[in-house]
Amino acid sequence: MKFLSLVSNEWIKIFSRTRTWVFIALPILIVLGVAIYGKVTEDDTVKSNWKQEVTQQNKELKSQIAEAKKDNSPKFVAQSLENEYKQNQYALKNDISPYETTSWKFMKDMAPLSSLLGLFVIVIASDIVAGEFAKGTIKMLLIRPYSRWKILLSKLIATLAFAFFLWVILVVATWLFGSILYGFGGMDQPYLSMIDGKVHEKLISEYVLANMGLEFIEFAVTVFLAFMVSTLFYSSSVAIGISLFLTFAGNALVLFISSKSWAKYTLFPNMDLTQYLDEGLQVVKGMSLSFSLGMLAIYSALFLIITFAVFQKRDVKA
Amino acid sequence: METVHTLELKEVTKKMKGKNVVDHLSFGVRKGEIFGLLGPNGAGKTTTIRMIVGLISMSGGEILVNGLDIRKNYEKAMEQIGAIVENPQMYDYLTGYKNLMQYARMLPGVTRERIDEVVKLVDLEQAIHKKVKTYSLGMRQRLGVAQALLHRPSLLILDEPTNGLDPQGMHDLRNYLRLLADQGTSVVVSSHILAEMELMCDRVAVMQHGKLVRIDNVTNVTDQAQARVHFLLENEMNEAKSLLAEHFPAKTVEVSEKELIVEANTNQEIGDINKRLVEAGFLVYGIQVKKKTLEERFLEMTGKGGNLNEVSVAGQ
């Protein structure tokens, strides 16, 4: 069990930093704040008159769609507006209020917080190798009786475990605060999604769980990317900067290259797995969930091979 | 006859940017000896040490730790080494104790009692539960020594260990290294400061431009130092010089104002020279024996002046 002590060493180091506790506390505080704010400002009149509200929304959507078609915005913009329009119609017809908040609805609404966690995970992953080079502690680590790949693997596992830990915290916190404020249960609330241009009814819990699962896969790939950057660069601030830039500029890049035929083979369009939960959100055409998972597997393998090969060979002069 | 070496380097070479930073370096460190690697900055000492502990790959040659090839039995070989490579950088957001715990978990058979023992040894008991960022350079150095000793390595490697130590700390370190060596630990110490090596080491290897210049017992390196004997005369310097040249053809004699300077190794030689001078009627009113300082010897060996015969490898 010698290898496990390497992982626990890394884990201890992660948790000995103040920033780690900020990374843990911040999402919890945000979820709590949003939950309380939502509860306090809950508008009962909208809730009871939701049909009026949704009809009004649809009027606006209609003009927006017409506008989008006129001024040549990308196709998917009109597409997603149209989807929203259709979903609203379906809701009106079947008497499913989109203003009904349950704990699971709350969890769904809080899902975008995962990109904040992604940011924290990038910081940890970028720093875990580069930081040791920057401070010179890497040589104290590498003179121990362990092959280099074991030391690197222990860092990778510790980072993934930390990412998983943050993710669990977000899930538990949203579920718990949601349940306390909006009541436990609500798993069977219907959720509307689009399949082949038609509105389908799903269980919201099903959607939330699928969403979280896919987001964790995105997390893992982000870790591999940041981990590679961390190994290639000696300075942790440079590594963090590059990882963040790649991740966020990557998303902007997707829009830029979306019309190219090779766009689907690049990393970033495939990084957003939750796009497959709602049809019509895809920016790049011709991809499916299994296609994206395959591409991510290939990219991850590539990142890891580069990371381990470079680390194994490198002369440490820090 | 091959004696068992704790550490053995055979033709070790490191190429960097087409240049041999370490060039076919061979030496062996015996069990229980303190071995010095001596050389000016850039001579390749640190690169050599980094190759021994696996931080830098070798371009050629072989390194054996207790007979284990570090390329083939890396983990087994590293288990027997404790090291400080340049400054011991610690995790400054952890306490000294937690730093030691990190390394203790990575090494076989280090108990909490052993950690306490080592902490006591390096005299850090007061500060061990404080964060390393509050430590002075000397305290960090001592913590570095502590982590190197945790698992009772049979080979201890210290790169410039006295950096940042005060005289008392240096004294303590020397005593402790001697104690370890007496118990059978082999110690390799690198330094560019000669006086330190003289006090600390049994044998020294002198390096220059990645090559071994000389390897010998430290006493030989210092004592063999030829003395420059100054004979103080009133006048007739040139006559005296030709007299000596006649009787001692092997010696070179320098003349400076009222001195004849002759290199001599033994008292007998000095006496003989003096006798000749006096018998020939010169008035010798003083004789000064000036031993070359280690500094001068070192400059000589590493090629700034001095003769080349001596620069070749000796004592292997």
Side-chain angles (χ1 to χ4, degrees):
Chain A
M1 290 294 95
K2 275 166 73 190
F3 180 73
L4 273 188
S5 54
L6 292 185
V7 179
S8 64
N9 267 354
E10 294 302 329
W11 192 244
I12 288 167
K13 282 187 271 182
I14 291 175
F15 278 91
S16 302
R17 310 293 294 270
T18 322
R19 64 167 184 222
T20 305
W21 296 99
V22 174
F23 294 168
I24 293 169
L26 212 54
I28 296 176
L29 291 176
I30 291 174
V31 171
L32 187 63
V34 171
I36 291 169
Y37 179 81
K39 189 72 185 173
V40 168
T41 59
E42 204 173 24
D43 193 343
D44 281 333
T45 51
V46 174
K47 225 174 159 184
S48 46
N49 298 325
W50 69 270
K51 284 194 177 172
Q52 264 179 312
E53 189 77 14
V54 171
T55 318
Q56 180 62 30
Q57 267 181 21
N58 260 9
K59 263 188 205 156
E60 280 162 28
L61 278 171
K62 223 172 185 177
S63 60
Q64 281 173 1
I65 293 167
E67 221 169 280
K69 280 182 177 161
K70 232 182 9 206
D71 62 4
N72 274 341
S73 353
K75 232 179 166 181
F76 68 90
V77 175
Q79 180 79 50
S80 72
L81 289 170
E82 212 156 314
N83 283 348
E84 211 179 315
Y85 180 78
K86 279 185 187 165
Q87 283 177 9
N88 278 346
Q89 269 190 329
Y90 186 95
L92 286 169
K93 210 166 75 187
N94 293 287
D95 202 21
I96 302 167
S97 168
Y99 290 97
E100 186 66 41
T101 308
T102 64
S103 59
W104 288 84
K105 174 83 186 329
F106 182 70
M107 285 174 86
K108 180 188 170 291
D109 292 345
M110 289 281 92
L113 258 188
S114 68
S115 47
L116 182 68
L117 297 201
L119 189 97
F120 296 162
V121 168
I122 287 173
V123 171
I124 299 279
S126 307
D127 187 46
I128 198 163
V129 182
E132 299 243 17
F133 274 97
K135 295 261 185 224
T137 48
I138 189 74
K139 62 191 184 200
M140 303 297 277
L141 199 57
L142 292 183
I143 58 174
R144 309 296 149 184
Y146 292 88
S147 300
R148 285 198 183 181
W149 66 266
K150 287 184 188 167
I151 288 178
L152 192 61
L153 185 63
S154 72
K155 284 181 174 291
L156 180 61
I157 290 174
T159 314
L160 282 174
F162 180 74
F164 182 71
F165 174 75
L166 272 188
W167 176 81
V168 167
I169 289 210
L170 180 66
V171 172
V172 170
T174 50
W175 177 78
L176 192 67
F177 294 142
S179 296
I180 290 169
L181 291 171
Y182 302 104
F184 291 82
M187 284 182 77
D188 51 353
Q189 190 186 12
Y191 171 76
L192 303 179
S193 71
M194 302 295 290
I195 296 169
D196 294 333
K198 274 190 187 157
V199 181
H200 278 252
E201 233 176 88
K202 274 188 195 169
L203 287 184
I204 195 158
S205 49
E206 200 181 307
Y207 175 88
V208 168
L209 292 175
N211 192 45
M212 291 187 314
L214 293 175
E215 262 165 9
F216 186 70
I217 297 176
E218 292 171 18
F219 254 38
V221 180
T222 310
V223 167
F224 297 147
L225 176 65
F227 200 67
M228 177 178 74
V229 173
S230 186
T231 307
L232 296 180
F233 294 90
Y234 291 102
S235 143
S236 48
S237 45
V238 170
I240 292 171
I242 288 176
S243 298
L244 287 179
F245 176 78
L246 282 178
T247 314
F248 291 102
N251 291 326
L253 203 67
V254 173
L255 292 176
F256 197 65
I257 60 167
S258 61
S259 57
K260 303 276 191 293
S261 59
W262 44 263
K264 63 176 178 174
Y265 298 109
T266 59
L267 174 66
F268 291 104
N270 293 296
M271 279 290 267
D272 181 15
L273 292 174
T274 52
Q275 62 181 315
Y276 301 112
L277 290 176
D278 283 300
E279 202 172 305
L281 297 179
Q282 284 159 268
V283 176
V284 179
K285 293 290 163 203
M287 305 191 307
S288 66
L289 179 58
S290 48
F291 173 83
S292 283
L293 288 175
M295 290 306 296
L296 289 185
I298 293 170
Y299 273 105
S300 301
L302 190 70
F303 294 158
L304 290 177
I305 290 169
I306 293 172
T307 307
F308 277 84
V310 168
F311 192 72
Q312 194 72 25
K313 289 268 170 235
R314 169 177 289 173
D315 281 348
V316 179
K317 295 170 209 156
Chain B
M1 271 291 288
E2 204 175 3
T3 47
V4 180
H5 286 119
T6 311
L7 172 69
E8 197 169 7
L9 275 74
K10 291 178 181 169
E11 299 286 315
V12 172
T13 300
K14 177 65 185 179
K15 244 195 177 106
M16 279 177 183
K17 292 173 189 156
K19 219 181 110 199
N20 283 348
V21 184
V22 175
D23 198 356
H24 295 89
L25 183 65
S26 302
F27 63 80
V29 178
R30 300 177 197 124
K31 185 172 155 62
E33 84 171 332
I34 302 179
F35 186 89
L37 264 183
L38 185 58
N41 289 328
K45 294 169 301 187
T46 294
T47 306
T48 304
I49 283 178
R50 282 174 188 254
M51 282 193 282
I52 298 170
V53 295
L55 288 176
I56 288 184
S57 62
M58 286 180 264
S59 309
E62 226 182 343
I63 295 178
L64 304 172
V65 178
N66 287 321
L68 293 166
D69 186 327
I70 64 160
R71 285 212 260 211
K72 290 175 194 137
N73 284 304
Y74 181 74
E75 296 188 357
K76 277 247 149 54
M78 289 307 130
E79 257 178 40
Q80 314 190 27
I81 301 181
I84 303 179
V85 182
E86 285 178 316
N87 297 320
Q89 277 105 349
M90 299 288 181
Y91 301 107
D92 52 12
Y93 53 86
L94 296 178
T95 64
Y97 194 81
K98 283 187 174 163
N99 267 287
L100 291 182
M101 281 299 293
Q102 285 272 321
Y103 304 120
R105 282 188 212 98
M106 299 176 84
L107 296 164
V110 181
T111 59
R112 280 182 182 268
E113 289 74 37
R114 175 62 184 164
I115 297 178
D116 294 339
E117 194 182 314
V118 173
V119 168
K120 197 172 166 194
L121 190 90
V122 296
D123 198 21
L124 272 179
E125 287 154 300
Q126 300 297 318
I128 198 67
H129 292 292
K130 293 202 180 102
K131 289 201 170 159
V132 171
K133 65 176 141 211
T134 65
Y135 282 22
S136 67
L137 189 55
M139 286 158 83
R140 283 166 199 253
Q141 199 77 26
R142 265 140 61 199
L143 190 61
V145 173
Q147 62 79 30
L149 295 174
L150 274 178
H151 56 304
R152 303 176 200 274
S154 59
L155 175 60
L156 184 62
I157 297 175
L158 306 173
D159 190 9
E160 306 276 354
T162 49
N163 274 357
L165 288 188
D166 55 20
Q168 181 62 43
M170 272 153 68
H171 178 82
D172 291 348
L173 180 69
R174 274 200 303 273
N175 284 350
Y176 186 63
L177 291 184
R178 180 54 61 198
L179 185 76
L180 283 175
D182 289 345
Q183 290 165 358
T185 308
S186 305
V187 184
V188 175
V189 185
S190 84
S191 179
H192 61 281
I193 302 166
L194 294 135
E196 243 167 47
M197 298 300 248
E198 194 180 4
L199 289 170
M200 205 181 268
C201 302
D202 299 314
R203 283 198 307 154
V204 289
V206 181
M207 284 182 79
Q208 166 86 342
H209 302 312
K211 289 196 174 105
L212 188 65
V213 174
R214 181 193 164 107
I215 186 167
D216 208 341
N217 291 336
V218 74
T219 45
N220 289 348
V221 174
T222 48
D223 285 0
Q224 245 181 33
Q226 296 206 336
R228 287 164 71 80
V229 186
H230 298 238
F231 292 92
L232 309 185
L233 305 181
E234 271 301 324
N235 41 34
E236 298 175 289
M237 308 301 297
N238 288 329
E239 286 84 347
K241 186 185 172 184
S242 33
L243 177 79
L244 291 187
E246 187 186 321
H247 290 281
F248 306 95
K251 300 276 175 205
T252 45
V253 182
E254 292 168 47
V255 181
S256 85
E257 274 186 67
K258 299 205 162 182
E259 293 177 355
L260 282 179
I261 305 163
V262 187
E263 292 205 344
N265 289 330
T266 61
N267 292 343
Q268 184 65 47
E269 271 185 326
I270 299 169
D272 282 350
I273 295 168
N274 186 40
K275 199 171 158 204
R276 285 278 168 208
L277 288 170
V278 174
E279 278 175 4
F282 292 102
L283 176 65
V284 180
Y285 69 90
I287 298 174
Q288 291 171 352
V289 180
K290 290 185 182 167
K291 277 215 165 180
K292 279 187 188 170
T293 63
L294 209 49
E295 239 63 38
E296 284 169 320
R297 294 276 304 155
F298 182 66
L299 286 176
E300 234 177 62
M301 280 188 284
T302 53
K304 292 171 191 155
N307 55 8
L308 275 167
N309 292 336
E310 209 173 4
V311 175
S312 67
V313 179
Q316 271 225 71

